[in-house]
Amino acid sequence: MPLYNSMIAWVALTAVVYAAFFSGPAPEKGKVNWFFAVLTFGYIIFWAGVRTGVADTAEYIYAFENYPDFDVLPQYFASHPKGPGFSALGIFFRSYVSANYHLWLMFIAIVSGISVMTVVRQHSVSFFLSAYFFIVSLNFMWLFNGIRQFLPAAILFGMSWLLIVDNKRWIYALLIVLLSYVHLTVIILLPFCFLTHTKPFGPRMMLISVGIILIIIFMNPVFSTMDDILSETSTGYTMDFSAFEDDDGVHPLRVLVAFTPSIIALARRKVLIEYGTPFIHHCVLMSFVAGCLYLVGMFSSGIMIGRLPIYFELYNIILLPFLLKCFSRPMSYTMTAICVLMYFAFYYLQMQNSYYISEITGLIENTP
Protein backbone atom coordinates (compact mmCIF):
# COMPACT_ATOMS: atom_id res chain seq x y z
CA MET A 1 0.00 0.00 0.00
CA PRO A 2 2.86 2.52 0.58
CA LEU A 3 3.57 2.53 -3.17
CA TYR A 4 -0.02 3.35 -4.02
CA ASN A 5 -0.09 5.99 -1.28
CA SER A 6 3.01 7.55 -2.83
CA MET A 7 0.97 8.22 -5.98
CA ILE A 8 -1.37 10.44 -3.99
CA ALA A 9 1.63 12.16 -2.43
CA TRP A 10 3.15 12.63 -5.90
CA VAL A 11 0.00 14.34 -7.20
CA ALA A 12 0.03 16.64 -4.18
CA LEU A 13 3.73 17.42 -4.67
CA THR A 14 3.39 18.22 -8.37
CA ALA A 15 0.39 20.41 -7.59
CA VAL A 16 2.41 22.40 -5.03
CA VAL A 17 5.40 22.75 -7.36
CA TYR A 18 3.14 23.80 -10.23
CA ALA A 19 1.47 26.42 -8.06
CA ALA A 20 4.90 27.76 -7.11
CA PHE A 21 5.91 28.16 -10.76
CA PHE A 22 2.54 29.40 -12.02
CA SER A 23 1.00 31.67 -9.43
CA GLY A 24 -1.10 33.35 -12.11
CA PRO A 25 -3.25 31.83 -14.86
CA ALA A 26 -1.64 28.79 -16.42
CA PRO A 27 -0.76 28.72 -20.11
CA GLU A 28 -3.20 27.65 -22.81
CA LYS A 29 -6.38 29.12 -21.32
CA GLY A 30 -5.93 27.63 -17.88
CA LYS A 31 -4.67 24.20 -18.90
CA VAL A 32 -1.76 22.62 -17.05
CA ASN A 33 1.25 22.53 -19.35
CA TRP A 34 2.28 19.25 -20.93
CA PHE A 35 5.41 18.86 -18.81
CA PHE A 36 3.53 18.84 -15.51
CA ALA A 37 0.69 16.78 -16.97
CA VAL A 38 3.11 14.06 -18.07
CA LEU A 39 5.08 14.38 -14.84
CA THR A 40 1.94 13.81 -12.77
CA PHE A 41 0.54 10.83 -14.67
CA GLY A 42 3.98 9.53 -15.61
CA TYR A 43 4.65 8.39 -12.06
CA ILE A 44 1.51 6.22 -12.05
CA ILE A 45 2.23 4.92 -15.55
CA PHE A 46 5.80 4.04 -14.63
CA TRP A 47 4.82 1.78 -11.73
CA ALA A 48 2.07 0.21 -13.81
CA GLY A 49 4.57 -0.53 -16.56
CA VAL A 50 7.28 -2.14 -14.39
CA ARG A 51 4.99 -4.40 -12.37
CA THR A 52 5.30 -8.18 -12.54
CA GLY A 53 2.99 -9.40 -9.79
CA VAL A 54 -0.27 -7.46 -9.41
CA ALA A 55 -3.49 -9.51 -9.68
CA ASP A 56 -3.88 -10.83 -13.26
CA THR A 57 -0.50 -9.51 -14.49
CA ALA A 58 0.97 -13.02 -14.49
CA GLU A 59 -1.74 -14.14 -16.91
CA TYR A 60 -0.88 -11.35 -19.34
CA ILE A 61 2.83 -12.11 -19.08
CA TYR A 62 2.21 -15.81 -19.72
CA ALA A 63 0.01 -15.05 -22.72
CA PHE A 64 2.56 -12.61 -24.17
CA GLU A 65 5.47 -15.03 -23.78
CA ASN A 66 3.46 -17.75 -25.53
CA TYR A 67 2.21 -15.69 -28.46
CA PRO A 68 3.11 -17.33 -31.80
CA ASP A 69 4.72 -15.63 -34.77
CA PHE A 70 2.65 -13.02 -36.57
CA ASP A 71 2.25 -15.17 -39.68
CA VAL A 72 0.17 -17.82 -37.89
CA LEU A 73 -2.57 -15.51 -36.61
CA PRO A 74 -5.51 -17.41 -38.20
CA GLN A 75 -4.55 -20.69 -36.55
CA TYR A 76 -3.97 -18.97 -33.20
CA PHE A 77 -7.35 -17.20 -33.26
CA ALA A 78 -9.11 -20.46 -34.06
CA SER A 79 -7.97 -21.86 -30.72
CA HIS A 80 -7.94 -18.56 -28.77
CA PRO A 81 -11.15 -16.69 -29.70
CA LYS A 82 -11.24 -14.27 -26.73
CA GLY A 83 -10.07 -10.73 -27.44
CA PRO A 84 -8.55 -11.34 -30.88
CA GLY A 85 -7.73 -7.64 -31.29
CA PHE A 86 -5.68 -7.58 -28.09
CA SER A 87 -3.92 -10.81 -29.05
CA ALA A 88 -3.16 -9.48 -32.53
CA LEU A 89 -1.66 -6.33 -31.03
CA GLY A 90 0.44 -8.39 -28.63
CA ILE A 91 1.62 -10.74 -31.37
CA PHE A 92 2.55 -7.81 -33.61
CA PHE A 93 4.44 -6.15 -30.72
CA ARG A 94 6.29 -9.35 -29.86
CA SER A 95 7.16 -10.09 -33.49
CA TYR A 96 8.21 -6.63 -34.68
CA VAL A 97 8.94 -4.48 -31.61
CA SER A 98 10.23 -6.53 -28.68
CA ALA A 99 9.79 -9.92 -27.05
CA ASN A 100 10.37 -8.31 -23.63
CA TYR A 101 7.12 -8.45 -21.71
CA HIS A 102 8.20 -5.48 -19.57
CA LEU A 103 8.11 -3.28 -22.67
CA TRP A 104 4.72 -4.73 -23.62
CA LEU A 105 3.21 -3.90 -20.23
CA MET A 106 4.77 -0.44 -20.35
CA PHE A 107 3.35 0.14 -23.82
CA ILE A 108 -0.20 -0.70 -22.67
CA ALA A 109 0.23 1.47 -19.56
CA ILE A 110 1.45 4.43 -21.62
CA VAL A 111 -1.37 4.23 -24.18
CA SER A 112 -4.04 3.88 -21.50
CA GLY A 113 -2.57 6.43 -19.09
CA ILE A 114 -1.89 9.10 -21.70
CA SER A 115 -5.41 8.68 -23.09
CA VAL A 116 -6.84 9.53 -19.67
CA MET A 117 -4.32 12.31 -19.06
CA THR A 118 -5.12 14.18 -22.30
CA VAL A 119 -8.83 14.37 -21.48
CA VAL A 120 -8.11 15.53 -17.93
CA ARG A 121 -5.75 18.21 -19.22
CA GLN A 122 -8.21 19.36 -21.86
CA HIS A 123 -11.46 19.42 -19.89
CA SER A 124 -10.85 19.45 -16.14
CA VAL A 125 -11.20 22.72 -14.25
CA SER A 126 -8.65 21.36 -11.77
CA PHE A 127 -6.10 18.99 -13.30
CA PHE A 128 -4.52 17.89 -10.03
CA LEU A 129 -7.85 17.36 -8.28
CA SER A 130 -8.95 15.17 -11.19
CA ALA A 131 -5.69 13.21 -10.93
CA TYR A 132 -6.38 12.75 -7.21
CA PHE A 133 -9.89 11.44 -7.86
CA PHE A 134 -8.49 9.14 -10.55
CA ILE A 135 -6.46 7.44 -7.82
CA VAL A 136 -8.78 7.47 -4.81
CA SER A 137 -11.81 6.34 -6.85
CA LEU A 138 -9.64 3.31 -7.73
CA ASN A 139 -9.89 3.90 -11.47
CA PHE A 140 -6.08 3.95 -11.56
CA MET A 141 -5.99 0.26 -10.58
CA TRP A 142 -7.17 -0.65 -14.07
CA LEU A 143 -3.66 0.25 -15.22
CA PHE A 144 -2.45 -2.61 -13.02
CA ASN A 145 -5.28 -5.11 -13.38
CA GLY A 146 -7.76 -5.80 -16.17
CA ILE A 147 -5.69 -4.01 -18.80
CA ARG A 148 -7.37 -5.70 -21.77
CA GLN A 149 -10.66 -4.03 -20.89
CA PHE A 150 -9.19 -0.76 -19.72
CA LEU A 151 -7.31 -0.25 -22.98
CA PRO A 152 -10.50 0.29 -25.06
CA ALA A 153 -12.16 2.15 -22.16
CA ALA A 154 -9.24 4.60 -21.95
CA ILE A 155 -8.93 5.00 -25.72
CA LEU A 156 -12.64 5.79 -26.08
CA PHE A 157 -12.38 8.23 -23.18
CA GLY A 158 -9.42 9.84 -24.88
CA MET A 159 -11.27 10.03 -28.21
CA SER A 160 -14.50 11.35 -26.67
CA TRP A 161 -13.96 14.66 -28.49
CA LEU A 162 -15.04 12.87 -31.66
CA LEU A 163 -18.44 12.28 -30.12
CA ILE A 164 -19.03 15.36 -27.99
CA VAL A 165 -17.06 18.15 -29.69
CA ASP A 166 -17.05 17.18 -33.38
CA ASN A 167 -20.36 15.27 -33.25
CA LYS A 168 -18.92 12.47 -35.40
CA ARG A 169 -21.14 9.78 -33.91
CA TRP A 170 -20.76 7.19 -36.62
CA ILE A 171 -16.97 7.39 -36.55
CA TYR A 172 -17.05 6.97 -32.78
CA ALA A 173 -19.48 4.06 -33.15
CA LEU A 174 -17.14 2.43 -35.64
CA LEU A 175 -14.29 2.86 -33.17
CA ILE A 176 -16.39 1.11 -30.51
CA VAL A 177 -17.03 -1.80 -32.86
CA LEU A 178 -13.32 -2.09 -33.67
CA LEU A 179 -12.37 -2.00 -29.99
CA SER A 180 -14.94 -4.69 -29.23
CA TYR A 181 -12.39 -7.08 -30.74
CA VAL A 182 -10.18 -6.15 -27.80
CA HIS A 183 -12.96 -6.58 -25.22
CA LEU A 184 -16.55 -7.33 -26.20
CA THR A 185 -18.14 -5.51 -23.25
CA VAL A 186 -17.28 -2.14 -24.82
CA ILE A 187 -20.35 -2.65 -27.02
CA ILE A 188 -22.39 -1.29 -24.12
CA LEU A 189 -21.25 2.20 -25.18
CA LEU A 190 -22.92 2.04 -28.62
CA PRO A 191 -26.31 3.42 -27.53
CA PHE A 192 -24.59 6.37 -25.88
CA CYS A 193 -23.27 7.53 -29.24
CA PHE A 194 -26.78 8.83 -29.83
CA LEU A 195 -27.40 10.25 -26.35
CA THR A 196 -24.94 13.12 -26.49
CA HIS A 197 -26.00 16.67 -25.64
CA THR A 198 -28.50 15.26 -23.16
CA LYS A 199 -29.83 17.88 -20.74
CA PRO A 200 -28.82 16.99 -17.17
CA PHE A 201 -31.77 15.31 -15.46
CA GLY A 202 -33.98 16.08 -18.45
CA PRO A 203 -36.51 13.70 -20.08
CA ARG A 204 -33.94 11.65 -21.98
CA MET A 205 -31.83 11.15 -18.88
CA MET A 206 -34.90 10.12 -16.93
CA LEU A 207 -35.80 7.67 -19.70
CA ILE A 208 -32.40 6.07 -19.27
CA SER A 209 -33.02 5.72 -15.53
CA VAL A 210 -36.37 4.03 -16.19
CA GLY A 211 -34.63 1.62 -18.54
CA ILE A 212 -32.07 0.70 -15.89
CA ILE A 213 -34.81 0.24 -13.27
CA LEU A 214 -36.55 -2.14 -15.67
CA ILE A 215 -33.29 -4.08 -15.89
CA ILE A 216 -33.34 -4.37 -12.10
CA ILE A 217 -36.96 -5.62 -12.15
CA PHE A 218 -36.25 -8.22 -14.80
CA MET A 219 -32.68 -8.88 -13.71
CA ASN A 220 -32.82 -12.67 -13.39
CA PRO A 221 -32.89 -13.48 -17.14
CA VAL A 222 -30.74 -10.43 -17.93
CA PHE A 223 -27.94 -11.40 -15.58
CA SER A 224 -28.13 -15.03 -16.60
CA THR A 225 -27.40 -13.91 -20.15
CA MET A 226 -24.73 -11.40 -19.08
CA ASP A 227 -23.01 -14.08 -17.00
CA ASP A 228 -22.72 -16.34 -20.03
CA ILE A 229 -21.45 -13.53 -22.27
CA LEU A 230 -18.95 -12.06 -19.84
CA SER A 231 -17.56 -15.43 -18.83
CA GLU A 232 -16.59 -15.95 -22.44
CA THR A 233 -15.12 -12.51 -23.04
CA SER A 234 -13.20 -11.57 -19.93
CA THR A 235 -9.85 -12.44 -18.45
CA GLY A 236 -11.75 -13.07 -15.24
CA TYR A 237 -10.95 -9.69 -13.73
CA THR A 238 -13.23 -8.33 -11.05
CA MET A 239 -12.08 -5.62 -8.68
CA ASP A 240 -11.83 -6.82 -5.12
CA PHE A 241 -14.66 -5.31 -3.09
CA SER A 242 -14.21 -7.76 -0.22
CA ALA A 243 -13.61 -4.89 2.18
CA PHE A 244 -17.24 -3.86 1.68
CA GLU A 245 -19.32 -6.76 0.44
CA ASP A 246 -20.13 -10.43 0.20
CA ASP A 247 -20.08 -12.20 -3.12
CA ASP A 248 -23.79 -11.72 -3.74
CA GLY A 249 -23.81 -8.05 -4.66
CA VAL A 250 -22.36 -4.58 -4.29
CA HIS A 251 -22.23 -2.99 -0.88
CA PRO A 252 -24.45 0.11 -0.54
CA LEU A 253 -21.36 2.18 0.34
CA ARG A 254 -19.96 1.55 -3.14
CA VAL A 255 -23.25 2.67 -4.65
CA LEU A 256 -23.20 5.83 -2.53
CA VAL A 257 -19.69 6.69 -3.72
CA ALA A 258 -20.70 6.08 -7.33
CA PHE A 259 -23.78 8.30 -7.02
CA THR A 260 -22.00 11.15 -5.21
CA PRO A 261 -21.35 13.20 -8.40
CA SER A 262 -24.96 12.73 -9.52
CA ILE A 263 -26.27 13.84 -6.13
CA ILE A 264 -24.15 17.01 -6.24
CA ALA A 265 -25.13 17.61 -9.89
CA LEU A 266 -28.81 17.37 -9.02
CA ALA A 267 -28.36 19.82 -6.14
CA ARG A 268 -26.61 22.32 -8.45
CA ARG A 269 -28.67 21.56 -11.55
CA LYS A 270 -29.43 25.18 -12.50
CA VAL A 271 -25.81 26.26 -12.27
CA LEU A 272 -24.76 23.11 -14.10
CA ILE A 273 -27.13 23.78 -17.02
CA GLU A 274 -26.16 27.45 -17.22
CA TYR A 275 -22.38 27.12 -17.06
CA GLY A 276 -21.71 23.51 -17.99
CA THR A 277 -20.18 22.70 -21.38
CA PRO A 278 -21.56 19.93 -23.63
CA PHE A 279 -18.71 17.75 -22.36
CA ILE A 280 -19.72 18.36 -18.73
CA HIS A 281 -23.35 17.58 -19.55
CA HIS A 282 -22.22 14.30 -21.10
CA CYS A 283 -20.20 13.59 -17.97
CA VAL A 284 -23.38 13.93 -15.91
CA LEU A 285 -25.11 11.31 -18.05
CA MET A 286 -22.19 8.89 -17.92
CA SER A 287 -21.74 9.36 -14.18
CA PHE A 288 -25.41 8.67 -13.56
CA VAL A 289 -25.28 5.48 -15.65
CA ALA A 290 -22.22 4.30 -13.69
CA GLY A 291 -24.14 4.77 -10.45
CA CYS A 292 -27.15 2.91 -11.85
CA LEU A 293 -24.96 -0.01 -12.90
CA TYR A 294 -23.63 -0.28 -9.38
CA LEU A 295 -27.20 -0.06 -8.11
CA VAL A 296 -28.10 -2.99 -10.34
CA GLY A 297 -25.13 -4.79 -8.81
CA MET A 298 -26.74 -4.52 -5.37
CA PHE A 299 -29.47 -6.88 -6.56
CA SER A 300 -27.28 -9.27 -8.51
CA SER A 301 -24.25 -11.48 -8.16
CA GLY A 302 -22.08 -8.49 -9.01
CA ILE A 303 -20.88 -10.21 -12.16
CA MET A 304 -20.48 -6.93 -14.03
CA ILE A 305 -19.09 -4.78 -11.22
CA GLY A 306 -15.47 -5.05 -12.29
CA ARG A 307 -16.28 -4.71 -15.97
CA LEU A 308 -19.04 -2.39 -17.13
CA PRO A 309 -18.97 0.72 -14.90
CA ILE A 310 -15.43 1.69 -15.91
CA TYR A 311 -16.69 2.78 -19.34
CA PHE A 312 -18.75 5.44 -17.53
CA GLU A 313 -16.91 6.06 -14.25
CA LEU A 314 -13.91 7.73 -15.87
CA TYR A 315 -16.04 10.79 -16.60
CA ASN A 316 -16.40 11.38 -12.85
CA ILE A 317 -12.82 12.60 -12.60
CA ILE A 318 -13.78 15.48 -14.91
CA LEU A 319 -17.24 16.06 -13.47
CA LEU A 320 -16.43 16.19 -9.75
CA PRO A 321 -13.96 19.12 -9.81
CA PHE A 322 -16.39 21.10 -11.96
CA LEU A 323 -19.32 20.44 -9.62
CA LEU A 324 -17.28 21.44 -6.59
CA LYS A 325 -16.76 24.86 -8.18
CA CYS A 326 -20.52 25.32 -8.69
CA PHE A 327 -20.90 26.47 -5.08
CA SER A 328 -20.06 29.81 -3.53
CA ARG A 329 -16.41 30.06 -2.51
CA PRO A 330 -16.73 29.12 1.21
CA MET A 331 -19.12 26.26 0.44
CA SER A 332 -16.93 25.14 -2.48
CA TYR A 333 -13.96 24.75 -0.15
CA THR A 334 -16.08 22.81 2.34
CA MET A 335 -17.55 20.50 -0.28
CA THR A 336 -14.12 19.88 -1.78
CA ALA A 337 -12.70 18.95 1.62
CA ILE A 338 -15.61 16.59 2.27
CA CYS A 339 -15.22 14.84 -1.09
CA VAL A 340 -11.43 14.62 -0.76
CA LEU A 341 -11.77 12.97 2.66
CA MET A 342 -14.70 10.75 1.72
CA TYR A 343 -12.99 9.37 -1.38
CA PHE A 344 -9.74 8.88 0.51
CA ALA A 345 -11.60 6.86 3.15
CA PHE A 346 -13.08 4.71 0.39
CA TYR A 347 -9.63 4.26 -1.16
CA TYR A 348 -8.07 3.39 2.21
CA LEU A 349 -10.66 0.72 3.02
CA GLN A 350 -10.50 -0.81 -0.45
CA MET A 351 -6.70 -0.95 -0.66
CA GLN A 352 -6.09 -2.66 2.68
CA ASN A 353 -5.19 -6.00 1.07
CA SER A 354 -3.38 -4.54 -1.93
CA TYR A 355 0.06 -5.73 -2.97
CA TYR A 356 2.71 -4.94 -5.55
CA ILE A 357 5.67 -6.82 -7.05
CA SER A 358 8.23 -5.50 -9.53
CA GLU A 359 11.20 -7.61 -10.57
CA ILE A 360 12.79 -4.64 -12.34
CA THR A 361 12.90 -2.36 -9.30
CA GLY A 362 13.02 -5.15 -6.72
CA LEU A 363 10.04 -3.64 -4.94
CA ILE A 364 7.79 -6.12 -3.13
CA GLU A 365 4.86 -5.01 -0.98
CA ASN A 366 2.39 -7.24 0.88
CA THR A 367 2.71 -10.31 -1.34
CA PRO A 368 -0.56 -12.26 -1.64
Side-chain angles (χ1 to χ4, degrees), residues 52-125:
T52 51
V54 179
D56 61 4
T57 301
E59 297 176 24
Y60 286 106
I61 293 174
Y62 177 83
F64 181 78
E65 291 184 329
N66 288 276
Y67 280 147
D69 293 334
F70 196 73
D71 55 2
V72 295
L73 277 181
Q75 300 92 316
Y76 181 81
F77 290 155
S79 58
H80 298 79
K82 292 192 293 185
F86 187 83
S87 297
L89 181 62
I91 292 171
F92 179 86
F93 190 95
R94 191 174 191 276
S95 299
Y96 298 106
V97 180
S98 174
N100 188 326
Y101 71 80
H102 293 295
L103 295 179
W104 166 241
L105 293 176
M106 182 63 76
F107 170 74
I108 298 297
I110 289 173
V111 173
S112 300
I114 294 300
S115 294
V116 175
M117 183 204 75
T118 53
V119 178
V120 173
R121 180 182 177 274
Q122 179 69 28
H123 294 285
S124 178
V125 297

Side-chain angles (χ1 to χ4, degrees), residues 131-308:
Y132 171 80
F133 284 129
F134 178 62
I135 297 172
V136 294
S137 65
L138 304 186
N139 287 330
F140 86 108
M141 279 303 296
W142 285 89
L143 289 169
F144 297 78
N145 190 9
I147 60 175
R148 182 165 69 89
Q149 182 175 356
F150 190 61
L151 181 62
I155 290 174
L156 287 168
F157 184 62
M159 298 297 290
S160 55
W161 57 269
L162 273 175
L163 181 65
I164 305 167
V165 180
D166 288 2
N167 203 29
K168 295 181 179 178
R169 300 178 180 182
W170 291 105
I171 295 178
Y172 195 78
L174 177 60
L175 182 59
I176 292 174
V177 172
L178 291 175
L179 288 171
S180 70
Y181 287 95
V182 176
H183 206 283
L184 183 59
T185 55
V186 76
I187 288 293
I188 194 175
L189 285 177
L190 272 179
F192 296 90
C193 291
F194 307 96
L195 293 172
T196 54
H197 307 290
T198 298
K199 183 179 179 181
F201 304 102
R204 284 208 296 180
M205 189 166 172
M206 292 302 101
L207 182 61
I208 294 170
S209 66
V210 170
I212 294 177
I213 290 172
L214 289 175
I215 291 176
I216 296 173
I217 295 174
F218 300 104
M219 65 186 175
N220 287 332
V222 171
F223 280 102
S224 177
T225 302
M226 287 297 295
D227 194 1
D228 293 339
I229 294 175
L230 292 175
S231 64
E232 294 298 323
T233 60
S234 174
T235 58
Y237 168 65
T238 301
M239 290 182 73
D240 178 15
F241 286 87
S242 58
F244 300 129
E245 61 186 316
D246 296 321
D247 293 336
D248 58 350
V250 183
H251 193 281
L253 180 58
R254 186 63 182 94
V255 180
L256 176 62
V257 170
F259 268 121
T260 295
S262 295
I263 294 171
I264 299 175
L266 182 60
R268 305 301 296 168
R269 180 172 177 267
K270 291 183 178 180
V271 178
L272 178 65
I273 293 174
E274 183 176 357
Y275 296 104
T277 64
F279 192 92
I280 291 295
H281 290 172
H282 188 70
C283 287
V284 175
L285 171 64
M286 301 299 269
S287 174
F288 183 71
V289 172
C292 288
L293 286 172
Y294 280 119
L295 180 63
V296 171
M298 283 183 61
F299 302 93
S300 74
S301 65
I303 186 64
M304 63 165 66
I305 296 308
R307 300 181 178 97
L308 299 185

